[in-house]
Amino acid sequence: MMLISKFLFSLCLAMVLPVDCLSQLVVNVKNKGGDIIKEIITGNTTSDVVELQFQNTDGTIINQFIDFKSEVQIFRAYVLWEEELGFTRNKPFTLCFVSRFNKNEFISSDAMSKLRQKNPTAIRTPEEEKVPEMHIMDLQMNLKKTDVISPNIKKFCKEANITTYAKESDIKIWSQALGQDMNLLMSTVKRIHPEKYTNCKDTAAITSPCLCHYHICVGWYPCGLKYCRGKDSAGRYVSYRCGIKTCRRFLSYDFVIAVLVPDSGKYYQKLKCLHIRPNLFVTNEVKNLQPKDGNAEYCGCDCTRYLENGAEENIEAIMS
């Protein structure tokens, strides 16, 4: 299991970003549980893309890929199978969540290329925690047709051939912002109507499609530039870049799981959802969880700690 995890982690960047004009930043981040997570942030000014990757303590590998030209953001999760729970497949289960990218959410690839780190062993702490994001993914993407949105979707999500999801609201915005025909963009997806499905924990048959939930916490990322004021050589006041603003963000995804297991020819949607960790069976209830200090409306990245505490018990109860 660990060998697979390390192998995937070392290959993640090489699979997507070309080598021209490449810059890389390695950051050590302490998560809410006190563990140190190493993040690798890579920018390419030629392709105008940025990728952030890290590996959670449970072995799951998370990649965030941003295509600035196409206004596309992708979160990809390589989820390792839980051998102790009876899941023995060698190939990780891959999920891709595609959404529209707002250009003020992350620094540009050009700004990324100029970042330098004086102390690479330092433990970084974000300055701001973003409001948690809850996404209902109501579209399944056909990777053979997604080039009209961004050619990077097919490259980045090739292991998630039938588990790549998007939202119709984003398709509408892409149509307007990029001047693309709405019907053409909608031809790249299929509606899956999450509201029609029962949560996987409440679904009796393991072969029935069901509603699954997944969340991601990005512990540290450069979310903006800082500007200072000073005087130029002529004595005039000017503004100039003097650093970066750093943030933490929490994202929760609801999606329909309906995946064919290749070796069996059967659909085991519920099992696919069950092995993903942390606990995926909590959906809107996540909004009501409070951090220990009680100072935030949502628990945000603290949710990871709260949900992990009950993951084993819930999975075992459903499997028994």
Side-chain angles (χ1 to χ4, degrees):
M1 181 72 71
M2 186 58 67
L3 288 176
I4 294 174
S5 178
K6 289 182 177 178
F7 176 73
L8 284 171
F9 188 63
S10 64
L11 286 183
C12 281
L13 287 175
M15 293 192 318
V16 180
L17 293 177
V19 295
D20 52 329
C21 300
L22 200 69
S23 61
Q24 186 179 94
L25 185 70
V26 179
V27 180
N28 298 303
V29 183
K30 182 179 290 188
N31 66 15
K32 292 288 185 175
D35 300 303
I36 304 301
I37 304 294
K38 179 177 288 187
E39 293 184 358
I40 301 175
I41 310 175
T42 308
N44 186 294
T45 55
T46 302
S47 302
D48 201 11
V49 297
V50 167
E51 182 176 356
L52 182 153
Q53 70 166 358
F54 61 92
Q55 184 172 19
N56 285 323
T57 54
D58 65 356
T60 302
I61 299 167
I62 303 296
N63 294 71
Q64 178 186 8
F65 183 84
I66 299 171
D67 179 344
F68 289 90
K69 292 179 181 177
S70 301
E71 298 184 10
V72 167
Q73 174 179 252
I74 307 168
F75 275 96
R76 182 183 66 197
Y78 282 133
V79 187
L80 302 182
W81 293 90
E82 294 292 335
E83 292 183 359
E84 65 270 25
L85 297 178
F87 302 108
T88 57
R89 294 183 59 80
N90 293 324
K91 189 175 181 181
F93 179 39
T94 306
L95 293 166
C96 264
F97 303 107
V98 182
S99 61
R100 179 176 177 267
F101 172 72
N102 295 314
K103 293 186 177 179
N104 61 348
E105 293 179 354
F106 206 104
I107 65 171
S108 67
S109 60
D110 179 65
M112 257 299 304
S113 69
K114 295 179 173 63
L115 289 185
R116 299 294 181 268
Q117 191 170 199
K118 293 181 179 179
N119 184 5
T121 61
I123 307 301
R124 303 296 174 182
T125 303
E127 300 166 298
E128 178 183 336
E129 179 139 9
K130 294 290 188 179
V131 175
E133 303 172 31
M134 310 295 172
H135 299 281
I136 298 176
M137 312 306 285
D138 53 2
L139 302 175
Q140 183 183 43
M141 305 195 84
N142 183 342
L143 294 183
K144 295 179 180 179
K145 299 180 178 181
T146 54
D147 281 1
V148 297
I149 299 174
S150 168
N152 289 302
I153 298 175
K154 181 168 62 179
K155 296 176 185 176
F156 197 71
C157 298
K158 60 183 179 181
E159 295 93 353
N161 188 40
I162 49 179
T163 50
T164 297
Y165 302 92
K167 296 190 298 184
E168 186 168 352
S169 58
D170 286 331
I171 296 287
K172 292 177 180 178
I173 297 175
W174 278 321
S175 175
Q176 298 169 358
L178 304 178
Q180 293 273 24
D181 179 69
M182 181 65 180
N183 292 328
L184 176 63
L185 296 186
M186 285 301 294
S187 70
T188 69
V189 299
K190 179 178 71 174
R191 290 188 176 93
I192 50 178
H193 304 288
E195 71 280 359
K196 295 183 178 180
Y197 294 90
T198 304
N199 287 343
C200 288
K201 75 179 182 69
D202 299 320
T203 304
I206 63 173
T207 56
S208 298
C210 54
L211 188 64
C212 199
H213 319 290
Y214 193 67
H215 67 260
I216 295 171
C217 179
V218 181
W220 186 99
Y221 69 100
C223 53
L225 297 173
K226 289 181 179 178
Y227 289 88
C228 298
R229 285 180 60 82
K231 292 184 179 181
D232 62 13
S233 57
R236 294 170 297 190
Y237 282 99
V238 294
S239 62
Y240 59 93
R241 294 181 185 178
C242 56
I244 58 170
K245 177 183 176 182
T246 60
C247 297
R248 177 191 291 123
R249 69 189 300 196
F250 171 87
L251 306 99
S252 176
Y253 296 96
D254 285 12
F255 59 99
V256 175
I257 192 79
V259 181
L260 182 67
V261 178
D263 297 340
S264 66
K266 296 181 180 179
Y267 287 87
Y268 288 107
Q269 292 85 353
K270 184 173 179 177
L271 290 182
K272 283 281 189 179
C273 188
L274 289 184
H275 96 277
I276 307 174
R277 299 175 68 188
N279 183 354
L280 304 181
F281 311 131
V282 179
T283 173
N284 292 332
E285 298 160 46
V286 80
K287 297 179 182 179
N288 300 321
L289 291 174
Q290 296 291 330
K292 291 183 178 179
D293 59 15
N295 291 328
E297 182 180 3
Y298 300 117
C299 58
C301 288
D302 280 342
C303 291
T304 302
R305 177 153 33 106
Y306 280 82
L307 297 178
E308 283 176 345
N309 288 340
E312 287 284 358
E313 179 182 352
N314 287 333
I315 291 175
E316 290 174 358
I318 293 169
M319 292 295 291
S320 60

